[in-house]
Amino acid sequence: MSPSEPQPEADAAAVPPLPEASARNGGWVVVTALAAAQFVMVLDSTVMNVSISQVVEDLGTTVSAMQAAITFYTLTMAALMLVGAKLGDLWGRLRAFVIGAIVYALGSLTTALAPNIVVLFAGWSVVEGMGAVLVIPAIAALIADNYEGRARVTAYAMIGAASGAAVAAGPLIGGFLTTYASWRYVFIGEVVVMAIVVLFSRRIVDRHRPEALRIDPLSVVLSSLGLVGVVFGMLQSKTWGWITPLQVPEIAGVEVAPLGVSLTAWLILLGAALLAWFAIRQRRLADSGRTPFLDIRLLHIHRLRSGLTSLGAQYAVTAGLFFMVPVYLQMTLGLDALQTGLRIFPLSISLILFSFAGTRLSRVWSPRRIVRVGQVVLVAASVLLLASVDAELRQVAFSIGMFVAGAALGLLASQLGDVNMSSVGPEKSSEVGGMQGVFQNLGSSLGTALIGSMLISALATSFAGAVARSDLPDDVKGTVSAATADGVELVPASTVVGIGEDAGLSEADATTLQETYSSAQVQALRAAFVGLIAIALLALLLSRGIPDRPSGAPPGSRRERPGGTGSGEA
């Protein structure tokens, strides 16, 4: 079946929920095993983010080295996600899943036992990343293989809930173990979970035999380098600046800012050019009768294109939210990692609850309506969180805002996975799983980059302006003005008093400087929340191609817009 042709939809109304038997229904064991694997895949980076200081102390390394390890973990997945999806077709989805789970467990064990940063880098950033690129596309394809109709919608909702819960619970789990035991136990726990997943993988059905494929080496290089260029450029934008150089990187002692333009812009442009070359290469392979590395005709399917871009927007908002909230709770309010996790916990609860509520709503509401309601609720949650941000936490408003944000993300998670995977036939499910991984990665990187840049830029402007209007000595004002010309680093507000006293300020002036910085942080966070609201509003424009009728409803029961059922209209 060509991806440009209409794809048949299963009659979801005739298929019972997950616990009951059906022609293709793996029951709770299969989806629980797959969801557990998804949870572990997402958990890693959120746990490590709140454990950086302890890892630095234990391994005798630096914060910069740890940040490089975190960045490289993301880059490994960005570079190899499409390769992992293609290997799933070559080896078989279940075999790729099991191999990936074993590789990931070995990486986690290496990380848990790491005596230094080099071993941790190899185990976490490289080996775990390589395992993840085999597991993530296979999860999406295996759900399609093991479930049909409404059971499939519920299964994808569980996968989405597992991802969101991992993002939200990561700081809580990492904070608790780092505070009361060791960050190493997180990775030991991952080994145990993946071992159990491999054990229960015998219950998972793979309905597609391995294919005899020839992987085009040039396509692998173009896609990998292109995605790395775009993702790395976005991740470094907070440090290097988007266009105007902020902190200019040095190579062999030489500052690198070609033509006076930030290296971020050049990396993104180079990455985009390589991806364009990749797309041209795939068309030529298809036209010559050879098997393309990625069937880019899939992106002509309006339903799939809309689902993928909506998924990317969802991850952009999620990444932006989880960049800002820890900054607010830890840097402004001075909470520790465990306290931060507890404040975020309402989001985890509501995300799980509303993931399942979304599957219930899909009996009477179309996926488009549920997605758009989720997007509107996400805007409302961002506004509520914006209103709760001040120098002293408004506990009730903040908790309600986090709960509402989780509800919105849960509604989105309940629909987008099934929308994407049901846009194509089963033979293309592994490719679409890889594409989902790419859009998740791009969305997360973009959200962190945009919100991080807005936050740091607003902090520099607000802090410099507030100091200029203050009663601080003129020499202090001049020093602050010069220091903030290229941006301001995020530091805990409580440390600014000590910094001021170390610089020779009186105790009163140092306290004034600290209060000014704290106030500037709050203003910067408010500006970043406005940016988050803008991204959430923009996401509404991306959901036009989501199907506009309830799952399993007769095609004539609700007017379909062009491309709404995956008809392939651009």
Side-chain angles (χ1 to χ4, degrees), residues 83-107:
V83 179
K86 186 58 66 176
L87 289 176
D89 290 333
L90 184 65
W91 297 342
R93 284 86 180 263
L94 182 57
R95 180 178 295 175
F97 176 79
V98 172
I99 292 173
I102 293 171
V103 170
Y104 195 92
L106 290 174

Side-chain angles (χ1 to χ4, degrees), residues 361-421:
L361 281 174
S362 65
R363 297 175 181 269
V364 292
W365 283 7
S366 69
R368 187 190 301 178
R369 175 179 288 188
I370 296 172
V371 167
R372 287 191 163 177
V373 166
Q375 290 169 334
V376 170
V377 172
L378 192 56
V379 173
S382 300
V383 172
L384 187 57
L385 288 169
L386 170 62
S388 72
V389 171
D390 60 11
E392 295 181 1
L393 178 64
R394 298 179 186 177
Q395 179 68 51
V396 174
F398 182 82
S399 296
I400 293 174
M402 293 301 288
F403 186 88
V404 174
L409 294 174
L411 290 176
L412 294 173
S414 73
Q415 303 299 310
L416 293 178
D418 184 62
V419 165
N420 291 330
M421 299 306 297

Side-chain angles (χ1 to χ4, degrees), residues 147-429:
Y147 298 96
E148 285 183 338
R150 197 171 302 283
R152 182 187 290 181
V153 177
T154 303
Y156 279 121
M158 287 187 66
I159 298 300
S163 295
V167 171
L172 180 61
I173 295 171
F176 178 82
L177 289 176
T178 300
T179 301
Y180 295 106
S182 169
W183 56 272
R184 297 178 187 273
Y185 286 109
V186 175
F187 296 95
I188 292 173
E190 289 180 354
V191 175
V192 174
V193 171
M194 297 311 287
I196 295 172
V197 166
V198 171
L199 180 65
F200 281 96
S201 66
R202 293 177 295 177
R203 299 283 297 274
I204 302 173
V205 174
D206 185 354
R207 299 180 185 274
H208 296 86
R209 294 182 178 180
E211 301 177 24
L213 298 173
R214 180 181 179 277
I215 297 179
D216 179 50
L218 180 57
S219 296
V220 173
V221 172
L222 291 175
S223 64
S224 298
L225 292 181
L227 288 169
V228 165
V230 172
V231 170
F232 187 55
M234 289 191 296
L235 289 175
Q236 292 298 110
S237 62
K238 299 188 299 298
T239 303
W240 294 345
W242 287 94
I243 304 296
T244 303
L246 294 179
Q247 298 179 25
V248 180
E250 293 185 0
I251 298 179
V254 179
E255 292 188 344
V256 182
L259 302 178
V261 176
S262 170
L263 193 58
T264 291
W266 293 113
L267 282 173
I268 293 175
L269 287 174
L270 177 61
L274 290 173
L275 291 177
W277 185 3
F278 170 77
I280 294 170
R281 174 72 176 173
Q282 304 319 295
R283 291 194 185 97
R284 289 178 176 172
L285 288 173
D287 291 343
S288 65
R290 298 166 62 187
T291 302
F293 180 69
L294 176 69
D295 189 351
I296 61 171
R297 295 175 301 167
L298 294 172
L299 293 175
H300 295 165
I301 302 173
H302 193 193
R303 169 179 177 156
L304 176 60
R305 191 168 65 243
S306 187
L308 289 173
T309 52
S310 295
L311 184 72
Q314 174 197 341
Y315 272 78
V317 172
T318 303
L321 182 66
F322 278 89
F323 179 84
M324 286 188 296
V325 168
V327 167
Y328 171 50
L329 296 177
Q330 296 182 358
M331 299 296 187
T332 303
L333 302 181
L335 304 185
D336 61 25
L338 179 57
Q339 292 170 323
T340 298
L342 289 172
R343 296 300 193 280
I344 294 173
F345 194 62
L347 186 147
S348 292
I349 298 298
S350 63
L351 192 151
I352 294 171
L353 291 176
F354 279 86
S355 292
F356 291 103
T359 64
R360 291 288 183 179
L361 281 174
S362 65
R363 297 175 181 269
V364 292
W365 283 7
S366 69
R368 187 190 301 178
R369 175 179 288 188
I370 296 172
V371 167
R372 287 191 163 177
V373 166
Q375 290 169 334
V376 170
V377 172
L378 192 56
V379 173
S382 300
V383 172
L384 187 57
L385 288 169
L386 170 62
S388 72
V389 171
D390 60 11
E392 295 181 1
L393 178 64
R394 298 179 186 177
Q395 179 68 51
V396 174
F398 182 82
S399 296
I400 293 174
M402 293 301 288
F403 186 88
V404 174
L409 294 174
L411 290 176
L412 294 173
S414 73
Q415 303 299 310
L416 293 178
D418 184 62
V419 165
N420 291 330
M421 299 306 297
S422 60
S423 299
V424 299
E427 71 282 355
K428 294 292 183 181
S429 59

